Amino acid sequence: MCGIAGFFDPKRHFSRDSYGPLLKGMGDAIAHRGPDDASAWSDAETGVGFSFRRLAILDLSETGRQPMRSVSGRYTLMLNGEIYNYRELKKELEATGSSTHPFRGTSDTEVLLAGIEVWGLATTLEKTNGMFAIALWDQERRELCLARDRMGEKPLYYGIVNGTFLFGSELKALFAVPGFKGTLDKEALHQFFRTGYIPGPLSIFEEVRKLTPGTWLRVREDLVTALETEFWSVADAARAGLENPFSGTIGEGEQRLESLLSDSVAKRMISDVPLGAFLSGGVDSSLVVALMQKHASAPVKTYTIGFQESDYDESSYAAAVAKHLGTDHVEHKLSAQETFDLIPQLATWYDEPLADASQLPTYLVSRLARKSVTVALSGDGGDELFAGYPRYVWGEKIGEISGLIPGPLRQLFGQGMDFLPPGIFEKGLAYAKEIFPMATVGNNAAEKARKLVELIKDNDAASVYRTLTSQWADTAALLGGEAGRPLVGRAADLPATAKTLLDKMMYWDQTTYLCDDVLAKVDRASMAVGLEARVPLLDHRVVELAWSFPKEWKLELGTTKAILRRMLYRHVPKELLERPKQGFSLPIDHWLKKELRPWAEELLGERRLLDSGVLDAEPVRALWKSHLEGSNHQQALWSVLIFQQWLEKYGAYVAR
C-alpha cells in the first residue's frame, strides 16, 4: 500500500531542474499514504517523472523499493496496492524458463513487473487478483500507462492541466503542482448533492478524471489519451452470472461461496507486518473475522468503535462476536467532543467532497487499529453483492404496491407531500413510540418514512433508485441550470439481462456507490493514518459468483444477505447477530440542532453561501430553518456543510 504521483511533460512546460522539487512536492502531499519511504525517478529526455511514497507491507528490504525498473530496462513501474496471487504468478513465470526475469526479492511489485515484461500489460492485468493503482512507463514505446483494479479499491486521478499530463492517488498530489487551477465540474456538483459523493469518471474538477475501475489507459507523447481499455467490468460479471445462473442447491452454493471467501481471506492475510480486522459485529465483518480465525495460528486482532449515545452504539455486539471467536479484541467508545474535534479535518482527508458521515468512525477505527497493526481486513462489499441494504427490501415492496396504483393517482399522492407540515413524520414516529414503547424504530426513521411515501409516485427502476439514494432531489434549484444526468459512468451501461429491480439497484450500487463512496471512504480514512485496508468480499471471483445466485438466496422473505447468514451461522450463533441493520450511523440530526449548531450556522450563513458563488442560499436557508423546527434533513444539510468546508480548504485551487 502506497501513494503514487507523477507527470508526463513531453512539451517541457517544466524545466529539467524543476523535476526534483516538483516530484518531491507531489510525494510530500500524499506522505500519509506511505510514511516508510520516499523516492522518485525521472527521465529528462522524455519528460516523465514518478514520485512514490511507501507503506512497506511485503519485502521490507531495499529490493521492494519503488519506482522499480525491469531487468531489461524497458519498464519502470509504481504499484499502489497488493497483488494477492503474486506467488502463483511467480511460479508461472519461473516455469516459462525465461532468463529475462531473475527475481532479486520477494515483493509482489517485482512479480507484476516481470509479468508485464513477459506477457504484456493487458494479459498481466487479466491474470491478477488484487487491489491496485499502477503507473507504468514504457521506454521503448515512449508511453505512460495507468491501470486500476476491478472494483476500484485503490484511487487514481489523472488529467491534462496547463499542457502537462498529471496523475496521483489523491488530488492533493495534483494541487502540489505549481499553477494548478481547476474548473468546478457542474455535473459532478449535481451528482454530489444528489447522492453525497461524486461518481466516476467525474471528479470535482472538469480537467481531472478518475480512472474507471477495471481499465487501463495509454498516454503517448502527443498527450492525446486513448480510450480506456477494459480488462474486467461489473457489467460483464452481471451479464455472465444472470445468463448462466448457479445450477446447484443453496447448500452447494453456500459451500462454493465459503470456499472462495476462505481463499480470498487467506490471500489477504499475507503480510510481512502485523495484521488485524475491523469488527462491527454485523454479518460481513463477523464472517471475515471467522474465516481469518480459521487460517490464523493465534487470536486475530480485532477493532471496533462504540458511541456513548446508546441508540447508536453497537460495540456490545462486536464484543460478543469477538468473545465467541476468541479474538484479541480492542474497543474504543467515542465521545461527542472527540468526534466534533475531527470534523474540521474531513476536507484534509477527502480532497474532493464526500458527504458520508460514517467517514468519521471509519477514520477513528483505522486510527485505533494502526496503534498495533499495519494491515486490517474489512467486511465492506457484502451489502452491495448480497442485497444487504434496507432499500433493496423497500424497492421490492414499493414495486409491488406501485403496480396496484394507477400512474396519475401515484403522481397526485406524491405531490401531496409538498403540503405536509414540517416535522410531521418525526411527530408521528414519536407518537408511535409512546403507544408502542417496545417497538424498534431505527435511526433516521422519519427521513426514511418520508422517502417511502415519495416512492409511491416513481414509475420506473431508475426513479425508484434515485429517490432511495437522493439527498437533494432538486439540485437545479440549489445549483441553477439543468438537474444533471440521473446516472453516470458505468452505471449507465446496465446489462439487458438485469431485468428485476433488485438486479438493477445492485448493479448501480456496485458501479457507483460502492466504488466512489464506500471504498473511497475506507481508502482515505485508513491511508490518513498509514493503515492498509483489504476487502476480501470484493475478490472478483466472489463478485462473479454472487451474480450467478438467484434473488431468493439474497433476499429471502425480507431477510437480507440470506446466504451469507446461513454460512455465518455455522461459525457464530444466530442470536449474536440478529438485529436491525445500523452500520456506522451517527446522531447528526441531534448534533446539528445542538452541539454542532454554531459550526453549521457559520457555514450555512446567507453571506457565507453567497460569497461561495456556487450555491443558492434560499433553498439552503429554508431547509436549515425546517430542520431546526423539527424536521430531519441531516443528509441534505450535511452535504452542503461538507462542500462549504471543502471550498474553504481548497478554494484557492478553483479557477474563478
Side-chain angles (χ1 to χ4, degrees):
M1 183 69 68
C2 308
I4 64 174
F7 59 81
F8 188 19
D9 183 35
K11 298 181 181 178
R12 303 300 191 278
H13 289 89
F14 297 105
S15 68
R16 296 185 180 190
D17 292 342
S18 69
Y19 283 7
L22 175 57
L23 291 170
K24 184 180 185 304
M26 297 180 81
D28 287 350
I30 53 174
H32 52 281
R33 298 186 70 91
D36 296 332
D37 191 19
S39 53
W41 165 87
S42 63
D43 183 342
E45 181 184 348
T46 53
V48 65
F50 284 1
S51 184
F52 185 74
R53 294 293 312 207
R54 185 184 187 192
L55 177 61
I57 304 293
L58 295 172
D59 191 353
L60 311 186
S61 71
E62 281 291 310
T63 58
R65 291 196 79 197
Q66 301 182 47
M68 190 176 290
R69 295 288 301 276
S70 65
V71 173
S72 69
R74 174 177 174 177
Y75 297 106
T76 303
L77 174 71
M78 289 192 297
L79 164 66
N80 167 29
E82 306 290 347
I83 307 301
Y84 299 122
N85 65 334
Y86 77 100
R87 291 175 175 173
E88 293 93 324
L89 293 177
K90 185 175 183 178
K91 289 180 180 178
E92 187 176 347
L93 286 164
E94 289 173 334
T96 65
S98 172
S99 61
T100 60
H101 54 273
F103 294 104
R104 299 183 304 115
T106 59
S107 75
D108 54 344
T109 306
E110 189 176 15
V111 174
L112 183 68
L113 189 53
I116 293 169
E117 187 111 62
V118 174
W119 300 314
L121 177 61
T123 300
T124 301
L125 291 174
E126 291 172 1
K127 288 175 175 285
T128 59
N129 181 333
M131 61 172 184
F132 53 81
I134 293 169
L136 177 74
W137 174 249
D138 184 339
Q139 183 66 35
E140 183 177 301
R141 293 186 175 180
R142 299 170 79 92
E143 64 184 25
L144 172 69
C145 295
L146 305 178
R148 193 176 180 198
D149 66 70
R150 291 170 175 85
M151 296 301 291
E153 293 180 59
K154 291 294 100 187
L156 192 55
Y157 293 85
Y158 72 90
I160 298 175
V161 180
N162 299 328
T164 299
F165 186 90
L166 305 175
F167 67 91
S169 296
E170 298 180 18
L171 282 173
K172 292 183 191 67
L174 277 61
F175 295 161
V177 176
F180 178 91
K181 289 282 186 179
T183 308
L184 289 178
D185 189 312
K186 198 67 172 286
E187 179 61 32
L189 289 174
H190 279 291
Q191 298 295 337
F192 168 72
F193 285 108
R194 177 179 293 135
T195 65
Y197 62 92
I198 297 174
L202 302 178
S203 87
I204 189 65
F205 296 118
E206 289 181 0
E207 297 83 355
V208 180
R209 286 292 177 262
K210 302 184 186 92
L211 186 61
T212 303
T215 69
W216 62 281
L217 178 74
R218 177 187 292 121
V219 185
R220 291 180 172 152
E221 288 186 293
D222 58 5
L223 294 189
V224 176
T225 57
L227 291 176
E228 295 177 353
T229 301
E230 189 175 83
F231 65 91
W232 189 91
S233 73
V234 173
D236 286 343
R239 191 177 299 109
L242 293 170
E243 291 178 354
N244 302 282
F246 190 85
S247 59
T249 65
I250 188 170
E252 292 168 334
E254 185 182 338
Q255 185 177 15
R256 174 61 177 154
L257 178 59
E258 178 152 1
S259 175
L260 275 183
L261 269 178
S262 181
D263 183 66
S264 174
V265 167
K267 281 182 165 57
R268 284 155 181 80
M269 291 178 69
I270 298 172
S271 173
D272 293 335
V273 293
L275 174 143
F278 301 146
L279 178 61
S280 69
V283 171
D284 305 329
S285 65
S286 297
L287 181 57
V288 167
V289 171
L291 295 175
M292 288 179 72
Q293 197 61 71
K294 281 180 58 179
H295 292 291
S297 57
V300 171
K301 295 180 182 295
T302 55
Y303 306 88
T304 193
I305 289 292
F307 300 97
Q308 292 182 351
E309 292 86 354
S310 59
D311 288 347
Y312 293 82
D313 184 40
E314 292 191 301
S315 59
S316 61
Y317 299 108
V321 172
K323 182 178 180 181
H324 176 80
L325 293 174
T327 71
D328 180 4
H329 192 58
V330 180
E331 172 190 308
H332 177 65
K333 285 281 183 75
L334 292 176
S335 66
Q337 188 59 52
E338 187 177 3
T339 309
F340 301 160
D341 291 343
L342 292 173
I343 288 175
Q345 299 180 47
L346 285 174
T348 301
W349 307 332
Y350 299 88
D351 42 18
E352 66 177 349
L354 177 64
D356 183 337
S358 65
Q359 59 203 167
L360 287 162
T362 302
Y363 169 83
L364 287 163
V365 76
S366 297
R367 190 175 70 179
L368 178 66
R370 188 62 178 92
K371 293 178 180 179
S372 51
V373 300
T374 311
V375 177
L377 271 61
S378 165
D380 291 293
D383 291 319
E384 293 80 7
L385 297 186
F386 297 98
Y389 292 124
R391 62 172 169 261
Y392 297 139
V393 181
W394 291 8
E396 291 285 295
K397 296 300 181 185
I398 287 297
E400 295 172 6
I401 296 171
S402 297
L404 301 175
I405 305 174
L409 188 58
R410 287 203 306 271
Q411 289 292 326
L412 184 63
F413 183 76
Q415 291 167 5
M417 288 280 295
D418 297 335
F419 299 98
L420 294 177
I424 185 66
F425 290 100
E426 288 78 7
K427 292 173 184 175
L429 286 167
Y431 182 63
K433 283 184 178 181
E434 290 180 9
I435 300 176
F436 305 106
M438 300 303 292
T440 299
V441 179
N443 299 323
N444 307 331
E447 192 168 351
K448 293 173 182 176
R450 185 182 294 105
K451 281 190 177 182
L452 195 59
V453 175
E454 290 174 352
L455 281 167
I456 299 297
K457 65 183 179 182
D458 293 328
N459 55 11
D460 62 77
S463 297
V464 169
Y465 181 77
R466 188 161 57 249
T467 296
L468 284 169
T469 57
S470 68
Q471 298 184 4
W472 281 89
D474 187 3
T475 58
L478 182 66
L479 293 162
E482 299 294 327
R485 301 190 300 274
L487 297 168
V488 298
R490 293 190 300 167
D493 185 26
L494 184 68
T497 45
K499 298 185 183 300
T500 69
L501 178 59
L502 178 63
D503 287 339
K504 293 174 181 178
M505 292 175 67
M506 290 176 63
Y507 175 79
W508 288 326
D509 270 343
Q510 288 178 33
T511 53
T512 55
Y513 175 72
L514 175 62
C515 174
D516 297 307
D517 184 310
V518 176
L519 294 177
K521 171 189 69 181
V522 172
D523 174 81
R524 305 310 190 279
S526 60
M527 294 310 296
V529 296
L531 178 78
E532 173 169 296
R534 299 176 177 177
V535 191
L537 282 160
L538 292 184
D539 187 301
H540 67 279
R541 300 169 300 166
V542 176
V543 176
E544 292 164 356
L545 180 64
W547 274 108
S548 74
F549 286 166
K551 165 188 163 183
E552 293 75 19
W553 295 6
K554 300 168 186 174
L555 280 182
E556 184 179 43
L557 299 177
T559 299
T560 60
K561 296 186 282 196
I563 194 168
L564 286 186
R565 292 177 190 275
R566 282 175 55 108
M567 187 190 314
L568 179 57
Y569 295 156
R570 296 205 307 272
H571 302 279
V572 179
K574 182 177 181 179
E575 56 268 22
L576 295 184
L577 297 153
E578 289 304 301
R579 66 187 188 277
K581 180 176 179 60
Q582 187 165 308
F584 266 160
S585 57
L586 294 170
I588 298 296
D589 170 36
H590 169 80
W591 289 349
L592 289 178
K593 292 172 181 174
K594 295 187 179 296
E595 293 90 346
L596 287 179
R597 184 168 177 174
W599 171 73
E601 288 278 12
E602 180 183 354
L603 290 176
L604 300 179
E606 185 171 5
R607 173 48 53 190
R608 186 70 167 268
L609 290 164
L610 291 173
D611 288 345
S612 76
V614 179
L615 305 178
D616 188 324
E618 184 177 347
V620 174
R621 295 295 299 170
L623 202 70
W624 178 232
K625 180 175 183 291
S626 174
H627 185 82
L628 295 177
E629 290 175 349
S631 293
N632 183 353
H633 302 296
Q634 65 176 37
Q635 289 185 322
L637 290 169
W638 189 253
S639 66
V640 175
L641 289 165
I642 288 296
F643 176 74
Q644 288 287 90
Q645 186 171 274
W646 177 88
L647 199 60
E648 181 181 81
K649 172 75 176 178
Y650 294 116
Y653 300 111
V654 177
R656 300 291 183 176

